[in-house]
């Protein structure tokens, strides 16, 4: 990619990001909607477990299943 296309792509990406940031006003999050009934907040441990530990465990389980499936396929080819 030449410099002109790289500059154009960078300008487009930064412009899109800037417009998205300006259009999503965080002040709107302070006003409650009708029927809004938020539950209790999560503790730090619950948050880390839900957003850090759970995805890592899921990734490891899926990767393990793929590796087991791949090993059985290689053993079939050798026979």
């Amino acid at each position: 990619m030449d410099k002109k296309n790289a500059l154009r792509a960078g300008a487009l990406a930064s412009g899109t990001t800037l417009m998205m940031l300006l259009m999503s006003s965080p002040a709107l999050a302070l006003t409650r909607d009708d029927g809004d009934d938020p539950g209790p907040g999560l503790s730090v441990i619950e948050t880390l477990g839900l957003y850090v530990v759970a995805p890592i465990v899921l990734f490891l389980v899926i990767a393990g299943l793929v590796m087991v499936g791949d090993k059985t396929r290689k053993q079939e080819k050798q026979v």
Side-chain angles (χ1 to χ4, degrees):
M1 187 174 354
D2 60 348
K3 286 184 179 182
K4 191 174 185 180
N5 284 342
L7 185 61
R8 184 179 297 150
L12 181 65
S14 62
T16 303
T17 304
L18 182 63
M19 288 303 295
M20 288 178 71
L21 286 173
L22 291 174
M23 297 297 285
S24 62
S25 175
L28 295 175
L30 297 177
T31 59
R32 292 276 170 91
D33 292 331
D34 290 337
D36 189 17
D37 188 20
L42 296 175
S43 69
V44 174
I45 300 298
E46 291 172 332
T47 304
L48 288 174
L50 186 61
Y51 294 108
V52 176
V53 176
I56 291 173
V57 168
L58 282 172
F59 173 78
L60 292 175
V61 167
I62 292 170
L65 290 172
V66 169
M67 287 171 42
V68 167
D70 190 42
K71 285 183 181 179
T72 58
R73 186 174 300 143
K74 284 183 181 178
Q75 290 174 355
E76 289 174 3
K77 287 182 180 179
Q78 290 176 354
V79 173

